[in-house]
Amino acid sequence: MGGLYSEYLSPSKVREHYNYTKETLDTQETPSRQVAVALIVLLCFAIVVENLLVLIAVARNSKFHSAMYLFLGNLAASDLLAGVAFVANTLLSGPVTLGLTPVQWFAREGSAFITLSASVFSLLAIAIERHVAIAKVKLYGSDKSCRMLLLIAASWLISLALGGLPILGWNCLGHLEACSTVLPLYTKHYVLCVVTIFSVILLAIVALYVRIYCVVRSSHADVAGPQTLALLKTVTIVLGVFIVCWLPAFSILLLDYACPVRSCPVLYKAHYFFAFATLNSLLNPVIYTWRSRDLRREVLRPLQCCRRAAGLQGRRGGTPGHRLLPLRSSSSLERGAHMPTSPTFLEGNTMV
């Protein structure tokens, strides 16, 4: 065991594993790679800024300190960290990879796995809570905060355990024949385990949302109103985006398990599939919070301040300023939030 862990600091191990699994190695920067890195960094910057605005909005407004907004904040935090981790992963890839020690490589890949896993588990936790709220006809109240915190803690603990398994010993150091092509220091069985877990999560989310749909469709006429239809629309968007973003990554990892070494060239392009999966972290705040009028207003407050400052500057320069009106929403989701006929879907003054 001591010999295994002594290899973690070997500067030649990463190159050895890449030489075994890859047909060619990235030994120099190319213009196309530089463009791809720039685009990915811009994407991750957008992810960080978007989710940071959501976190600030939730933290500074007491209206959002309810149970469900804990999940929205946790989702935004995990997506923000996913953006940061993916930037680090991108900047430490290519020619830089071959200069890493195994422990540095495990830290690079593990951080990305942990944050992306936490984002996915947050989606699952939200689906569970939506199912409980609708199928069990319960409100989200302050007495449910303990359950929310436990689910949030569990999602991070599971994510840490899942991402940390390789550095704890479930890797292919010393066993090249067992190595993954996409992740050359990870064993193929670990890759299959990850694919299985995320596939089960996907099926669970589908089952929960199908159950929600069935409950809503079977509700009385006074319940199946505009707010119900708006919720179904949100659920459809969430489920569709999740499948579109993650299915290619699941497929490439499953193919990695099935393919012998150097027999599937498409595996050498796996980073594009993971970059596409990261779009889920960009879209989650849009799906879960942008349809809430109050949260949208809070997120846009910094932009309002900028417009107000520009208006004051215009007055000083002789240009009439424009009075900034409060944001109004005409979405059926927000109109339904104030309908008293179905308290199941209400939370604070907004609807999620």
Side-chain angles (χ1 to χ4, degrees):
M1 184 64 69
L4 172 63
Y5 285 102
S6 65
E7 295 181 337
Y8 279 30
L9 300 178
S10 172
S12 62
K13 276 295 176 181
V14 172
R15 180 180 288 272
E16 176 187 347
H17 281 250
Y18 274 73
N19 277 328
Y20 180 80
T21 58
K22 310 289 186 182
E23 291 183 349
T24 58
L25 299 180
D26 294 329
T27 58
Q28 59 183 359
E29 290 286 351
T30 61
S32 60
R33 171 175 163 75
Q34 292 174 348
V35 171
V37 168
L39 292 175
I40 292 174
V41 170
L42 287 175
L43 169 66
C44 293
F45 177 77
I47 291 173
V48 170
V49 171
E50 185 182 65
N51 286 282
L52 182 61
L53 286 174
V54 173
L55 281 174
I56 293 174
V58 171
R60 72 182 180 183
N61 193 326
S62 59
K63 180 186 295 186
F64 304 134
H65 295 173
S66 58
M68 188 58 193
Y69 281 105
L70 291 176
F71 276 112
L72 293 177
N74 182 64
L75 179 62
S78 60
D79 287 335
L80 186 153
L81 293 176
V84 173
F86 200 67
V87 166
N89 190 291
T90 300
L91 297 179
L92 293 175
S93 297
V96 181
T97 300
L98 302 179
L100 299 177
T101 64
V103 69
Q104 292 171 333
W105 191 93
F106 286 135
R108 185 192 76 176
E109 298 298 335
S111 62
F113 265 72
I114 290 169
T115 54
L116 291 174
S117 297
S119 179
V120 175
F121 280 117
S122 296
L123 293 175
L124 176 62
I126 291 176
I128 292 173
E129 286 305 310
R130 290 291 87 187
H131 177 265
V132 170
I134 295 173
K136 302 300 182 181
V137 196
K138 291 182 179 179
L139 288 171
Y140 286 110
S142 59
D143 59 324
K144 303 299 181 183
S145 296
C146 181
R147 178 160 56 93
M148 307 300 146
L149 292 175
L150 286 175
L151 282 174
I152 290 173
S155 69
W156 280 101
L157 287 174
I158 295 173
S159 299
L160 286 169
L162 187 63
L165 284 175
I167 201 171
L168 293 176
W170 196 3
N171 56 61
C172 62
L173 290 177
H175 303 281
L176 289 174
E177 69 282 355
C179 289
S180 160
T181 299
V182 175
L183 302 163
L185 271 67
Y186 284 174
T187 175
K188 285 190 173 186
H189 293 292
Y190 172 75
V191 173
L192 179 63
C193 176
V194 171
V195 172
T196 302
I197 290 174
F198 281 101
S199 298
V200 170
I201 291 175
L202 176 59
L203 291 175
I205 293 177
V206 171
L208 287 171
Y209 284 151
V210 168
R211 170 63 177 164
I212 291 172
Y213 177 82
C214 292
V215 170
V216 169
R217 294 289 294 178
S218 62
S219 299
H220 298 294
D222 59 340
V223 175
Q227 70 274 33
T228 304
L229 299 178
L231 178 61
L232 286 176
K233 181 179 179 180
T234 302
V235 166
T236 302
I237 296 172
V238 169
L239 187 58
V241 170
F242 183 86
I243 293 174
V244 169
C245 289
W246 280 102
L247 188 58
F250 296 161
S251 301
I252 203 70
L253 289 176
L254 190 60
L255 182 64
D256 184 22
Y257 177 80
C259 282
V261 64
R262 298 190 180 186
S263 62
C264 297
V266 69
L267 296 178
Y268 302 139
K269 305 297 182 181
H271 52 281
Y272 292 113
F273 294 85
F274 290 113
F276 186 71
T278 307
L279 288 175
N280 190 236
S281 297
L282 180 71
L283 297 175
N284 281 338
V286 176
I287 298 170
Y288 283 97
T289 66
W290 217 251
R291 289 173 61 82
S292 170
R293 181 186 57 188
D294 291 338
L295 187 56
R296 179 171 65 249
R297 179 185 299 165
E298 194 68 26
V299 169
L300 290 178
R301 182 173 293 183
L303 299 180
Q304 289 181 305
C305 294
C306 292
R307 290 180 59 186
R308 187 177 292 111
L312 292 175
Q313 186 66 29
R315 291 191 188 95
R316 293 192 185 100
T319 303
H322 298 280
R323 182 174 180 268
L324 188 63
L325 297 177
L327 289 174
R328 298 178 64 88
S329 173
S330 60
S331 68
S332 60
L333 185 64
E334 295 304 334
R335 290 197 301 270
H338 301 283
M339 296 181 65
T341 58
S342 179
T344 302
F345 304 102
L346 300 183
E347 178 178 342
N349 293 323
T350 60
M351 193 168 157
V352 180

